[in-house]
Amino acid sequence: MTPESLEENIQSIAARLIKLAEEQCWNKISHQLTFIVSDFNEFGEDFQERRQLRNKINRYKAPLPLDAVIEVVKKEYQDLYDINLYIFKALRKETIIEIQYYRKSNMEPDDYEKIKDNPPMLHAKITKPGYSLEGEKFDVNWESGGGLRHYWKSILYEFKYRRMMKKLKK
């Protein structure tokens, strides 16, 4: 991937992300896309805190068209190690995709030396909720607020998990 092919590559991976969401999630996914951009390190260290902080910060970001976010990403291109696309929120008339990047300069010095001249990697990812069984469709919006179904399944999962842990301790 080069800075010149960045837009084409992101369009392609965004299309794959939408297809993946349509296969794995029960939501109707709009093909009208807008984007937000995030630096991986703006969300903190702890995994649980990172997810909560990510939601809180991203809720206040104004979604932009692809050409606008491409300009932002191109400015950072030389320092980018990894670019991940996630569905932040799927609404009826629009799907907001988060473009989250990880910088080479955030790597340990030894690792940085190994990858400093490599082009960034590009991935499409969907995070599954812990209660989701293999092959079972889930709410794509579970991380950004979920809904009644998400909260109900979370409560049931927590109840079953605690019962299972109690049995294992005996």
Side-chain angles (χ1 to χ4, degrees):
M1 178 170 54
T2 64
E4 295 75 31
S5 68
L6 187 63
E7 183 170 0
E8 183 181 320
N9 288 319
I10 287 180
Q11 280 180 325
S12 174
I13 203 81
R16 279 193 245 158
L17 177 63
I18 296 301
K19 185 175 178 165
L20 185 62
E22 289 173 337
E23 291 169 359
Q24 294 188 11
C25 303
W26 57 260
N27 311 68
K28 183 166 174 57
I29 310 293
S30 171
H31 289 243
Q32 184 68 33
L33 307 179
T34 57
F35 300 83
I36 57 175
V37 181
S38 304
D39 183 334
F40 178 81
N41 285 328
E42 76 182 282
F43 304 126
E45 296 294 321
D46 178 71
F47 176 76
Q48 195 68 12
E49 286 177 19
R50 179 180 292 140
R51 201 173 87 226
Q52 290 171 347
L53 189 55
R54 178 178 162 221
N55 269 331
K56 191 174 187 177
I57 291 171
N58 285 345
R59 265 188 248 138
Y60 294 102
K61 292 180 181 178
L64 302 168
L66 181 60
D67 59 338
V69 297
I70 292 300
E71 291 307 312
V72 173
V73 177
K74 275 186 179 179
K75 288 178 186 171
E76 305 293 334
Y77 185 85
Q78 293 305 317
D79 192 31
L80 297 182
Y81 173 67
D82 197 11
I83 302 169
N84 295 295
L85 274 64
Y86 298 93
I87 292 181
F88 174 66
K89 192 160 208 134
L91 304 168
R92 198 173 284 171
K93 294 185 180 186
E94 141 188 75
T95 298
I96 303 169
I97 295 180
E98 177 186 13
I99 298 175
Q100 188 182 105
Y101 57 82
Y102 189 79
R103 298 174 181 276
K104 292 176 185 176
S105 57
N106 290 337
M107 307 288 273
E108 295 295 323
D110 290 341
D111 295 330
Y112 176 80
E113 283 303 313
K114 293 175 190 171
I115 54 94
K116 68 181 179 184
D117 297 322
N118 295 354
M121 297 178 286
L122 185 60
H123 306 281
K125 298 181 177 181
I126 293 182
T127 308
K128 291 177 80 169
Y131 57 76
S132 180
L133 300 173
E134 188 65 36
E136 177 186 39
K137 292 192 175 201
F138 58 92
D139 184 352
V140 73
N141 294 317
W142 76 272
E143 283 189 289
S144 59
L148 190 56
R149 187 185 294 187
H150 166 68
Y151 289 113
W152 177 247
K153 287 189 170 224
S154 295
I155 289 167
L156 287 176
Y157 176 77
E158 189 69 27
F159 178 73
K160 289 176 184 178
Y161 177 77
R162 284 190 180 151
R163 275 185 40 192
M164 183 180 68
M165 292 307 290
K166 202 180 236 185
K167 285 181 182 179
L168 291 174
K169 287 183 180 179
K170 288 182 181 181

